[in-house]
Short mmCIF file of all heavy atoms in Angstrom, two decimals:
data_model
loop_
_atom_site.label_atom_id
_atom_site.label_comp_id
_atom_site.label_asym_id
_atom_site.label_seq_id
_atom_site.Cartn_x
_atom_site.Cartn_y
_atom_site.Cartn_z
N LEU M 291 211.91 68.90 98.48
CA LEU M 291 211.86 69.84 97.35
C LEU M 291 212.24 69.15 96.05
O LEU M 291 211.52 69.26 95.04
CB LEU M 291 212.81 71.01 97.62
CG LEU M 291 213.04 71.97 96.44
CD1 LEU M 291 211.75 72.68 96.06
CD2 LEU M 291 214.15 72.96 96.77
N ILE M 292 213.36 68.41 96.03
CA ILE M 292 213.83 67.78 94.80
C ILE M 292 212.90 66.66 94.38
O ILE M 292 212.51 66.55 93.19
CB ILE M 292 215.27 67.26 94.98
CG1 ILE M 292 216.23 68.42 95.27
CG2 ILE M 292 215.72 66.49 93.73
CD1 ILE M 292 216.32 69.46 94.18
N LEU M 293 212.50 65.79 95.30
CA LEU M 293 211.62 64.68 94.94
C LEU M 293 210.27 65.18 94.42
O LEU M 293 209.76 64.66 93.42
CB LEU M 293 211.40 63.78 96.16
CG LEU M 293 212.38 62.64 96.38
CD1 LEU M 293 212.13 61.97 97.72
CD2 LEU M 293 212.30 61.62 95.24
N SER M 294 209.68 66.15 95.09
CA SER M 294 208.37 66.65 94.65
C SER M 294 208.46 67.34 93.31
O SER M 294 207.55 67.24 92.48
CB SER M 294 207.77 67.59 95.71
OG SER M 294 208.59 68.74 95.89
N THR M 295 209.56 68.05 93.06
CA THR M 295 209.74 68.71 91.77
C THR M 295 209.87 67.70 90.64
O THR M 295 209.19 67.80 89.61
CB THR M 295 210.98 69.62 91.79
OG1 THR M 295 210.81 70.63 92.79
CG2 THR M 295 211.21 70.28 90.44
N LEU M 296 210.73 66.69 90.85
CA LEU M 296 210.97 65.71 89.78
C LEU M 296 209.75 64.81 89.57
O LEU M 296 209.36 64.54 88.42
CB LEU M 296 212.19 64.87 90.13
CG LEU M 296 213.52 65.64 90.20
CD1 LEU M 296 214.65 64.72 90.63
CD2 LEU M 296 213.85 66.28 88.84
N LEU M 297 209.13 64.36 90.64
CA LEU M 297 207.93 63.52 90.47
C LEU M 297 206.77 64.34 89.93
O LEU M 297 205.88 63.80 89.26
CB LEU M 297 207.56 62.88 91.80
CG LEU M 297 208.49 61.74 92.25
CD1 LEU M 297 208.18 61.33 93.69
CD2 LEU M 297 208.37 60.54 91.32
N GLY M 298 206.78 65.63 90.18
CA GLY M 298 205.76 66.49 89.60
C GLY M 298 205.85 66.58 88.09
O GLY M 298 204.87 66.91 87.41
N LEU M 299 207.04 66.24 87.54
CA LEU M 299 207.22 66.23 86.08
C LEU M 299 206.92 64.88 85.47
O LEU M 299 206.82 64.76 84.25
CB LEU M 299 208.66 66.62 85.74
CG LEU M 299 209.13 68.01 86.18
CD1 LEU M 299 210.62 68.18 85.91
CD2 LEU M 299 208.33 69.09 85.45
N ALA M 300 206.82 63.84 86.31
CA ALA M 300 206.65 62.47 85.81
C ALA M 300 205.18 62.18 85.51
O ALA M 300 204.30 62.45 86.33
CB ALA M 300 207.19 61.48 86.83
N LYS M 301 204.94 61.58 84.34
CA LYS M 301 203.57 61.27 83.93
C LYS M 301 203.23 59.80 84.10
O LYS M 301 202.06 59.42 84.09
CB LYS M 301 203.35 61.67 82.48
CG LYS M 301 203.62 63.15 82.19
CD LYS M 301 203.38 63.45 80.71
CE LYS M 301 203.75 64.88 80.36
NZ LYS M 301 205.22 65.12 80.52
N ASP M 302 204.25 58.94 84.20
CA ASP M 302 204.00 57.51 84.33
C ASP M 302 205.15 56.86 85.10
O ASP M 302 206.08 57.54 85.54
CB ASP M 302 203.84 56.86 82.95
CG ASP M 302 205.02 57.16 82.01
OD1 ASP M 302 206.18 57.22 82.50
OD2 ASP M 302 204.80 57.35 80.80
N ARG M 303 205.09 55.53 85.26
CA ARG M 303 206.10 54.83 86.05
C ARG M 303 207.49 54.96 85.44
O ARG M 303 208.49 55.07 86.16
CB ARG M 303 205.72 53.35 86.18
CG ARG M 303 204.67 53.09 87.24
CD ARG M 303 204.54 51.60 87.51
NE ARG M 303 204.01 50.86 86.39
CZ ARG M 303 202.73 50.58 86.20
NH1 ARG M 303 201.83 51.00 87.07
NH2 ARG M 303 202.33 49.88 85.16
N THR M 304 207.59 54.92 84.13
CA THR M 304 208.90 55.03 83.49
C THR M 304 209.55 56.37 83.80
O THR M 304 210.74 56.44 84.15
CB THR M 304 208.77 54.85 81.97
OG1 THR M 304 208.22 53.56 81.69
CG2 THR M 304 210.12 54.97 81.29
N GLU M 305 208.76 57.43 83.70
CA GLU M 305 209.30 58.75 84.01
C GLU M 305 209.56 58.91 85.51
O GLU M 305 210.51 59.60 85.91
CB GLU M 305 208.35 59.84 83.50
CG GLU M 305 208.24 59.85 81.97
CD GLU M 305 207.44 61.02 81.44
OE1 GLU M 305 206.89 61.79 82.26
OE2 GLU M 305 207.38 61.18 80.20
N ALA M 306 208.76 58.25 86.33
CA ALA M 306 209.01 58.29 87.77
C ALA M 306 210.33 57.62 88.12
O ALA M 306 211.07 58.08 88.99
CB ALA M 306 207.86 57.61 88.51
N GLN M 307 210.65 56.54 87.42
CA GLN M 307 211.93 55.87 87.64
C GLN M 307 213.09 56.80 87.29
O GLN M 307 214.09 56.86 88.00
CB GLN M 307 212.01 54.59 86.82
CG GLN M 307 213.29 53.80 87.03
CD GLN M 307 213.25 52.42 86.40
OE1 GLN M 307 212.18 51.85 86.19
NE2 GLN M 307 214.42 51.88 86.09
N SER M 308 212.94 57.56 86.22
CA SER M 308 213.96 58.55 85.86
C SER M 308 214.07 59.62 86.93
O SER M 308 215.17 60.08 87.27
CB SER M 308 213.61 59.19 84.52
OG SER M 308 213.65 58.25 83.46
N ALA M 309 212.93 60.02 87.50
CA ALA M 309 212.94 61.03 88.55
C ALA M 309 213.73 60.56 89.76
O ALA M 309 214.55 61.31 90.32
CB ALA M 309 211.50 61.37 88.95
N LEU M 310 213.53 59.30 90.15
CA LEU M 310 214.25 58.78 91.31
C LEU M 310 215.73 58.60 91.01
O LEU M 310 216.57 58.76 91.90
CB LEU M 310 213.63 57.46 91.77
CG LEU M 310 212.16 57.51 92.21
CD1 LEU M 310 211.78 56.20 92.91
CD2 LEU M 310 211.87 58.69 93.11
N LYS M 311 216.05 58.26 89.79
CA LYS M 311 217.46 58.14 89.38
C LYS M 311 218.17 59.48 89.52
O LYS M 311 219.30 59.56 90.05
CB LYS M 311 217.54 57.63 87.94
CG LYS M 311 218.96 57.55 87.40
CD LYS M 311 218.95 57.10 85.94
CE LYS M 311 220.37 57.11 85.35
NZ LYS M 311 220.36 56.69 83.92
N ILE M 312 217.53 60.55 89.05
CA ILE M 312 218.13 61.88 89.14
C ILE M 312 218.19 62.34 90.60
O ILE M 312 219.19 62.95 91.03
CB ILE M 312 217.34 62.89 88.28
CG1 ILE M 312 217.36 62.46 86.81
CG2 ILE M 312 217.92 64.29 88.44
CD1 ILE M 312 218.73 62.29 86.21
N TYR M 313 217.14 62.06 91.35
CA TYR M 313 217.15 62.40 92.78
C TYR M 313 218.36 61.79 93.47
O TYR M 313 219.08 62.47 94.21
CB TYR M 313 215.85 61.90 93.42
CG TYR M 313 215.94 61.67 94.91
CD1 TYR M 313 215.95 62.75 95.81
CD2 TYR M 313 216.03 60.37 95.43
CE1 TYR M 313 216.05 62.53 97.17
CE2 TYR M 313 216.12 60.16 96.80
CZ TYR M 313 216.13 61.23 97.67
OH TYR M 313 216.24 61.00 99.01
N ASP M 314 218.61 60.51 93.24
CA ASP M 314 219.76 59.85 93.84
C ASP M 314 221.06 60.51 93.38
O ASP M 314 221.98 60.74 94.19
CB ASP M 314 219.77 58.37 93.45
CG ASP M 314 221.03 57.66 93.91
OD1 ASP M 314 221.24 57.52 95.12
OD2 ASP M 314 221.84 57.26 93.03
N GLN M 315 221.14 60.86 92.14
CA GLN M 315 222.36 61.45 91.57
C GLN M 315 222.69 62.79 92.20
O GLN M 315 223.86 63.09 92.48
CB GLN M 315 222.17 61.60 90.06
CG GLN M 315 223.35 62.19 89.33
CD GLN M 315 223.10 62.29 87.82
OE1 GLN M 315 222.30 61.53 87.26
NE2 GLN M 315 223.75 63.24 87.17
N VAL M 316 221.67 63.61 92.45
CA VAL M 316 221.94 64.97 92.92
C VAL M 316 221.95 65.08 94.45
O VAL M 316 222.62 65.95 95.01
CB VAL M 316 220.93 65.99 92.33
CG1 VAL M 316 221.00 65.99 90.82
CG2 VAL M 316 219.51 65.71 92.80
N ARG M 317 221.25 64.19 95.15
CA ARG M 317 221.14 64.34 96.59
C ARG M 317 222.16 63.52 97.38
O ARG M 317 222.58 63.93 98.47
CB ARG M 317 219.72 63.93 97.06
CG ARG M 317 218.63 64.89 96.62
CD ARG M 317 218.82 66.27 97.18
NE ARG M 317 218.79 66.27 98.65
CZ ARG M 317 219.35 67.20 99.39
NH1 ARG M 317 220.00 68.21 98.84
NH2 ARG M 317 219.27 67.13 100.72
N ARG M 318 222.58 62.37 96.87
CA ARG M 318 223.42 61.49 97.66
C ARG M 318 224.79 62.11 98.01
O ARG M 318 225.21 62.05 99.17
CB ARG M 318 223.57 60.13 96.97
CG ARG M 318 224.26 59.07 97.80
CD ARG M 318 223.88 57.66 97.36
NE ARG M 318 223.89 57.51 95.92
CZ ARG M 318 224.94 57.14 95.18
NH1 ARG M 318 226.09 56.87 95.78
NH2 ARG M 318 224.85 57.03 93.88
N PRO M 319 225.50 62.71 97.05
CA PRO M 319 226.81 63.26 97.42
C PRO M 319 226.73 64.34 98.51
O PRO M 319 227.53 64.32 99.45
CB PRO M 319 227.33 63.84 96.10
CG PRO M 319 226.60 63.07 95.04
CD PRO M 319 225.24 62.82 95.59
N ARG M 320 225.79 65.24 98.40
CA ARG M 320 225.68 66.33 99.38
C ARG M 320 225.31 65.78 100.76
O ARG M 320 225.95 66.13 101.77
CB ARG M 320 224.63 67.35 98.93
CG ARG M 320 224.28 68.38 100.01
CD ARG M 320 223.42 69.50 99.47
NE ARG M 320 222.86 70.33 100.52
CZ ARG M 320 223.53 71.27 101.20
NH1 ARG M 320 224.80 71.47 100.95
NH2 ARG M 320 222.93 71.98 102.12
N THR M 321 224.32 64.93 100.82
CA THR M 321 223.84 64.48 102.12
C THR M 321 224.86 63.58 102.82
O THR M 321 225.03 63.66 104.04
CB THR M 321 222.51 63.75 101.98
OG1 THR M 321 222.62 62.69 101.01
CG2 THR M 321 221.40 64.70 101.53
N GLN M 322 225.57 62.74 102.07
CA GLN M 322 226.56 61.88 102.72
C GLN M 322 227.76 62.69 103.19
O GLN M 322 228.36 62.35 104.22
CB GLN M 322 226.96 60.76 101.76
CG GLN M 322 225.80 59.79 101.52
CD GLN M 322 226.16 58.58 100.68
OE1 GLN M 322 227.19 58.55 100.01
NE2 GLN M 322 225.31 57.59 100.69
N TYR M 323 228.10 63.75 102.49
CA TYR M 323 229.16 64.65 102.96
C TYR M 323 228.77 65.26 104.30
O TYR M 323 229.59 65.35 105.23
CB TYR M 323 229.41 65.74 101.93
CG TYR M 323 230.43 66.77 102.38
CD1 TYR M 323 231.78 66.64 102.06
CD2 TYR M 323 230.04 67.88 103.15
CE1 TYR M 323 232.72 67.58 102.48
CE2 TYR M 323 230.97 68.82 103.57
CZ TYR M 323 232.30 68.66 103.24
OH TYR M 323 233.22 69.59 103.68
N ILE M 324 227.51 65.68 104.43
CA ILE M 324 227.06 66.33 105.66
C ILE M 324 227.05 65.35 106.82
O ILE M 324 227.41 65.70 107.96
CB ILE M 324 225.67 66.97 105.45
CG1 ILE M 324 225.78 68.14 104.46
CG2 ILE M 324 225.09 67.46 106.78
CD1 ILE M 324 224.46 68.75 104.06
N VAL M 325 226.66 64.10 106.58
CA VAL M 325 226.70 63.09 107.64
C VAL M 325 228.13 62.95 108.18
O VAL M 325 228.36 62.93 109.40
CB VAL M 325 226.19 61.73 107.13
CG1 VAL M 325 226.44 60.63 108.16
CG2 VAL M 325 224.70 61.80 106.79
N ASP M 326 229.11 62.87 107.28
CA ASP M 326 230.51 62.74 107.69
C ASP M 326 230.99 63.99 108.41
O ASP M 326 231.71 63.92 109.41
CB ASP M 326 231.39 62.46 106.47
CG ASP M 326 231.12 61.08 105.86
OD1 ASP M 326 230.59 60.21 106.57
OD2 ASP M 326 231.43 60.90 104.67
N SER M 327 230.60 65.15 107.89
CA SER M 327 231.01 66.42 108.51
C SER M 327 230.46 66.55 109.92
O SER M 327 231.15 66.99 110.84
CB SER M 327 230.54 67.59 107.66
OG SER M 327 230.84 68.83 108.27
N SER M 328 229.20 66.16 110.11
CA SER M 328 228.57 66.27 111.43
C SER M 328 229.29 65.40 112.45
O SER M 328 229.49 65.80 113.60
CB SER M 328 227.09 65.87 111.34
OG SER M 328 226.47 65.97 112.60
N ARG M 329 229.70 64.20 112.04
CA ARG M 329 230.40 63.31 112.96
C ARG M 329 231.68 63.96 113.48
O ARG M 329 231.97 63.95 114.68
CB ARG M 329 230.71 61.98 112.27
CG ARG M 329 231.36 60.95 113.19
CD ARG M 329 231.89 59.74 112.44
NE ARG M 329 231.03 59.37 111.35
CZ ARG M 329 231.35 59.49 110.06
NH1 ARG M 329 232.55 59.98 109.71
NH2 ARG M 329 230.52 59.13 109.12
N VAL M 330 232.47 64.53 112.57
CA VAL M 330 233.72 65.18 112.96
C VAL M 330 233.45 66.42 113.80
O VAL M 330 234.13 66.68 114.79
CB VAL M 330 234.54 65.54 111.70
CG1 VAL M 330 235.80 66.31 112.09
CG2 VAL M 330 234.91 64.27 110.92
N THR M 331 232.43 67.19 113.42
CA THR M 331 232.08 68.40 114.16
C THR M 331 231.72 68.07 115.60
O THR M 331 232.07 68.83 116.53
CB THR M 331 230.91 69.12 113.47
OG1 THR M 331 231.28 69.47 112.13
CG2 THR M 331 230.51 70.39 114.22
N GLY M 332 231.05 66.94 115.81
CA GLY M 332 230.68 66.55 117.16
C GLY M 332 231.88 66.37 118.06
O GLY M 332 231.86 66.77 119.24
N ARG M 333 232.94 65.75 117.54
CA ARG M 333 234.15 65.59 118.36
C ARG M 333 234.75 66.95 118.70
O ARG M 333 235.20 67.18 119.84
CB ARG M 333 235.17 64.74 117.60
CG ARG M 333 234.69 63.39 117.11
CD ARG M 333 234.46 62.39 118.21
NE ARG M 333 235.67 62.02 118.93
CZ ARG M 333 235.72 60.99 119.79
NH1 ARG M 333 234.64 60.25 120.01
NH2 ARG M 333 236.84 60.70 120.43
#
């Protein structure tokens, strides 16, 4: 959802690079938290 939305706004490579930068900024904290949470939940 996030990648397709941001890349859908990008018109060229420069804007695509900005899209991936924002994707990393908004998705990495949430997803890495869930990876850690799942490990503990398994125990």
Side-chain angles (χ1 to χ4, degrees):
L291 171 64
I292 297 299
L293 271 173
S294 62
T295 299
L296 296 177
L297 287 170
L299 299 174
K301 302 180 185 65
D302 53 36
R303 281 191 293 267
T304 300
E305 294 187 356
Q307 182 170 335
S308 296
L310 299 192
K311 176 183 176 181
I312 299 303
Y313 157 75
D314 173 66
Q315 180 179 335
V316 300
R317 291 298 299 157
R318 188 156 44 90
R320 170 171 168 77
T321 54
Q322 292 185 344
Y323 176 93
I324 293 173
V325 171
D326 293 338
S327 176
S328 180
R329 184 190 323 111
V330 176
T331 301
R333 306 289 295 191

